[in-house]
Every structure is written in C-alpha cells, then in structure tokens.
Amino acid sequence: MNAVVEPPAQTGCSTTAVLDTPTDPTGWAEEWRLDSGRGDLLDVPNWQAFSAGDCLVIVSERHLDTPAKVTGYHLTSTGAEELWTRSGDDPDGKDINRLYPGEYAQWWGGYLATGRLLLDPSTGDLTQAPWADESGVVISIAEELAINCRHAYSSSAATCSAWDWNDGNPSQRWKQDYEEDMVYPTIGFGMSGNVQDGSLVANTESDSENTRTYTLMSLADGSLHGNWPRSTDAGGFPVFIPARDGWLLLSKSQNQAALITSGGEEGQPFPVIAELPTVLLTDGELPMLAQLRAAYRDGDFDWADVVLQCRDTSACTLNGNEVDLPESVLIDTYLQGGYYQRMAALTADGRSLVLRSRPNVNAWAIVFDTESGEVLVPEYSQDRSKGRALVRTTDDLILMGIDSEVIAYTPS
C-alpha cells in the first residue's frame, strides 16, 4: 500500500475522461450490459458499483469467510473492459479486506475514497488517505474537497477536517473541534454556493443535552452557523433547499418558509403557496434566494427555465406541459417539500432533466425530455425480488445496477 498520496496512474481509465456522445442527441437508449459475476444485489455478500469518467469499480466487501473482491473496468462505447481484479485472499490482499466504501463512497482527486484508504480505479492500487489517523465518516465534493468527521470519544472532542486535492498536492484546508458529541455533514441536502466558501447542512448530536439538530457547516473554515431542531415526531423534518447564495428553509408543516444567508442568518418566516414546485432551475443552475422567495411566496416562476410540478407520483407538468410517469416511481412524501429540487440536474445541452427518485442508492433515474415532454425511466420495474442501484447519472451516462448486471444508457 502506498503511504504518499500522488495523482492516480490513469493508465487504464480516468475519472475526468469525457465519454463520446452524439453531437445532437434526441434521447437516451440502452448501450451495453455487464454481468458482475457476483449474483443479485440483494445477495450476501452484496456488491456495489461506482463510476466516474470512463472508470467503473465493482466492490463486494468481506463477509464471514468470503474475502472482499474488487474489479476495475474501462468504459467504452461498446461495454466495460476489465482492467484488474483484486481479492482479499491475494498474498497482498489484507488491505482489500479492509475496504468498506459504504453506500455513499465518493471520488476525490481521481481516487475512490473508502474511509482510510484511497483506491486507484485504473490499477487497483491502494494509498493511505491523508486523514487516515483520524478515522471517521468521509464525504467529498466535486472531487476537489474531502471532509472527514470523527465522533467524540473519551476525552477527545468531535472533530472534522477538510482536505483539498490541489491538483495532486493534498493539503489540509482546516480542522475544527466541536463542543457537540457528533458533527457530520450530509450531502443529501446538496450544497449552497461553491466548494471554496459555500456551505453544507450538517447533523449534530449532544448526548449530555439529549439534542439532535441541523446546522450549516462552512466549507471555508468548518465553522457552524445556526441551529434547527432535528425532530423525529410525526410532524416530519424541516427541509433545506439550496440556493447559490444561501438556503430556503421549509417548515415541517410546509406552510411557511424562511431564507437563510450563507452565514447562517435566518430571516423572517413567510407563508408559502399551496402547490409547491417540485424542481426549479435557471440557466441549469440553482436559483438565488430572491428567486426562491418569489416562487415559494408569490408563485412567480417566470425567472425559471425549468419548472417541474408534480400533483402526485404519476402526474406532473414540465414547463406547463402534462407529463405522465410510471406508477409510483416518485415518492409521495417527497413531492411537496422541495426534496426533488436537490436531486435534479439539467444536462449541458438543456435537453434532459434527470431526476433521482429517492436520495439513496436504491433509486431510479427519471429522464424528462424538456422539448418533447417524454419520460424515460431506465429498467423501471415494480418487481421487488431483484436488487437495484442507481450507480451514476451524468450528461453522458446513466448506469443502473439490476439483479447481477450493470446496465448503461447513453444519449442517442
């Protein structure tokens, strides 16, 4: 295992590669299928797939006497070409058995960040992460920044540290100790602003005070701003909707909202319209706070390029045009609450709005054609006997894991 973090080899694949696509695609179609050779996703030990650029990595963790197994692939227009395979029972496989990528493993500087270890997708080589001495929960943002958070224990405080990739010269941006017993950011709410000075919603817990709250973590220095109760009662949770310059906080009752600046200052609450938008985008980006206020308070959507409003799980309007969806592909409780705002992205050509059906990996990709209004849900089925996983949604590739296969859809 390498002890010094250097740029990954990129000899077989690269997480920054751009896949070939038609110059003027009119839709999406199945391109290829790959059998993982590891059984159904629901089997034990189960397997997970991670992809970026023209790299694909399939990981099955160690389980009882079954060693871990990791395989790397190079993606082409015709399929996935195997580059390497490593197993926990290899002579040097001890560290392979220590790979625990979890459901939300992230890419950082071309590596797959799996806790204390970094996996090079082009060679299978392992490198010790610079935060390895502070084992905790790791998330990364746009491959540029990784945040590692460790719970408080004994006399040690809860700690988070942020690490910049710096084009292959990793450095610690900041390190913070917190009074709370637990602080960990969540990518589920998205990010406000940018990687340099934006913010993430973070969860905090304090055993001594028996409190659980939301707060905003500054990406610039790790400081925490604001404090909102994280209730588990039947009233539900407040929802943080990201903007380019802050957050809109939608109340648990979903009848009022407030704007929160990037510094965590909360404004006065205001009533919201009865039929809340599902997704609002302008220029393919997040709205500004003033635009969100106009939409949620006044019903003014004129500023938005994409307006998706769903009345139920199978009936929506996209920019005013009726759209029919497969039955129950959307989650009813997510529709009225801004959840889908942070799970939507517009492709660079503006032709496709891609939506995740739910925040976790057990999701479908829903592709809306913004011109025709047609909808594609790759591999959609109500058959619950087979495992599924949404591996990737980017401008050039949608990857679904179904049963034992990885299935690729590309613009066509």
Side-chain angles (χ1 to χ4, degrees):
M1 180 176 64
N2 302 322
V4 178
V5 180
E6 297 179 347
Q10 298 187 359
T11 53
C13 69
S14 169
T15 60
T16 59
V18 178
L19 303 177
D20 292 334
T21 57
T23 55
D24 189 23
T26 59
W28 293 73
E30 181 183 320
E31 190 73 19
W32 49 263
R33 292 180 175 234
L34 169 71
D35 193 309
S36 69
R38 307 181 191 209
D40 190 281
L41 280 159
L42 297 176
D43 293 344
V44 178
N46 59 15
W47 57 272
Q48 299 166 275
F50 307 92
S51 179
D54 60 0
C55 300
L56 170 67
V57 175
I58 296 180
V59 182
S60 52
E61 298 175 6
R62 178 182 180 181
H63 178 74
L64 300 179
D65 294 331
T66 303
K69 182 181 178 182
V70 189
T71 305
Y73 299 87
H74 172 230
L75 302 182
T76 72
S77 59
T78 58
E81 301 173 345
E82 183 174 329
L83 295 171
W84 52 266
T85 293
R86 298 191 63 185
S87 172
D89 59 4
D90 292 343
D92 60 348
K94 179 177 64 175
D95 290 315
I96 293 295
N97 280 327
R98 294 174 176 172
L99 289 180
Y100 297 101
E103 186 172 295
Y104 299 105
Q106 301 290 309
W107 298 96
W108 182 69
Y111 287 100
L112 184 64
T114 63
R116 298 183 181 189
L117 298 174
L118 305 175
L119 174 71
D120 185 338
S122 66
T123 63
D125 292 340
L126 292 172
T127 297
Q128 185 169 279
W131 54 81
D133 292 337
E134 302 172 2
S135 178
V137 177
V138 180
I139 69 166
S140 67
I141 306 163
E143 284 218 21
E144 301 173 32
L145 181 69
I147 299 176
N148 179 66
C149 292
R150 183 187 63 190
H151 303 168
Y153 65 93
S154 184
S155 60
S156 299
T159 301
C160 290
S161 58
W163 298 82
D164 285 300
W165 175 242
N166 280 342
D167 296 324
N169 298 293
S171 64
Q172 188 176 88
R173 179 185 296 189
W174 50 259
K175 182 177 181 180
Q176 287 274 7
D177 293 337
Y178 302 103
E179 295 180 354
E180 294 82 358
D181 296 305
M182 185 184 301
V183 175
Y184 53 100
T186 172
I187 59 174
F189 285 109
M191 177 183 69
S192 169
N194 57 56
V195 176
Q196 296 303 317
D197 55 11
S199 62
L200 296 174
V201 175
N203 297 295
T204 73
E205 296 185 13
S206 177
D207 293 338
S208 59
E209 299 178 8
N210 194 28
T211 58
R212 304 168 74 234
T213 68
Y214 289 118
T215 187
L216 298 181
M217 173 182 285
S218 167
L219 296 179
D221 59 14
S223 57
L224 304 181
H225 302 271
N227 200 313
W228 297 272
R230 186 157 51 100
S231 173
T232 57
D233 60 28
F237 294 90
V239 177
F240 293 81
I241 300 173
R244 276 178 278 172
D245 55 346
W247 301 81
L248 183 143
L249 176 62
L250 189 64
S251 67
K252 292 189 294 183
S253 60
Q254 298 181 7
N255 60 8
Q256 66 177 19
L259 302 183
I260 306 173
T261 67
S262 56
E265 298 176 2
E266 183 177 353
Q268 291 296 316
F270 53 85
V272 300
I273 58 176
E275 294 187 12
L276 299 177
T278 306
V279 176
L280 297 171
L281 297 174
T282 178
D283 296 326
E285 296 183 319
L286 293 174
M288 302 293 286
L289 283 177
Q291 293 170 324
L292 284 179
R293 179 173 56 198
Y296 278 80
R297 185 187 65 184
D298 307 323
D300 176 10
F301 304 140
D302 291 344
W303 53 268
D305 301 316
V306 175
V307 180
L308 179 68
Q309 289 185 285
C310 297
R311 297 182 301 278
D312 56 44
T313 59
S314 58
C316 303
T317 60
L318 178 62
N319 294 339
N321 300 314
E322 291 290 333
V323 177
D324 293 325
L325 299 175
E327 182 181 356
S328 300
V329 68
L330 294 176
I331 308 300
D332 184 64
T333 53
Y334 289 174
L335 289 180
Q336 298 294 315
Y339 286 92
Y340 284 114
Q341 176 73 29
R342 60 183 183 268
M343 293 190 284
L346 194 67
T347 55
D349 61 6
R351 184 65 187 259
S352 299
L353 174 68
V354 183
L355 198 68
R356 293 185 70 96
S357 67
R358 59 183 68 195
N360 58 21
V361 72
N362 187 27
W364 302 107
I366 307 168
V367 185
F368 297 86
D369 188 310
T370 58
E371 295 182 11
S372 69
E374 295 181 354
V375 177
L376 170 69
V377 186
E379 304 305 313
Y380 180 68
S381 169
Q382 294 195 45
D383 182 359
R384 299 296 184 262
S385 66
K386 296 180 179 180
R388 74 171 187 268
L390 180 52
V391 177
R392 169 175 170 173
T393 56
T394 54
D395 281 11
D396 49 14
L397 185 63
I398 293 174
L399 288 181
M400 284 293 304
I402 301 290
D403 193 6
S404 65
E405 294 183 305
V406 177
I407 307 169
Y409 280 73
T410 62
S412 62

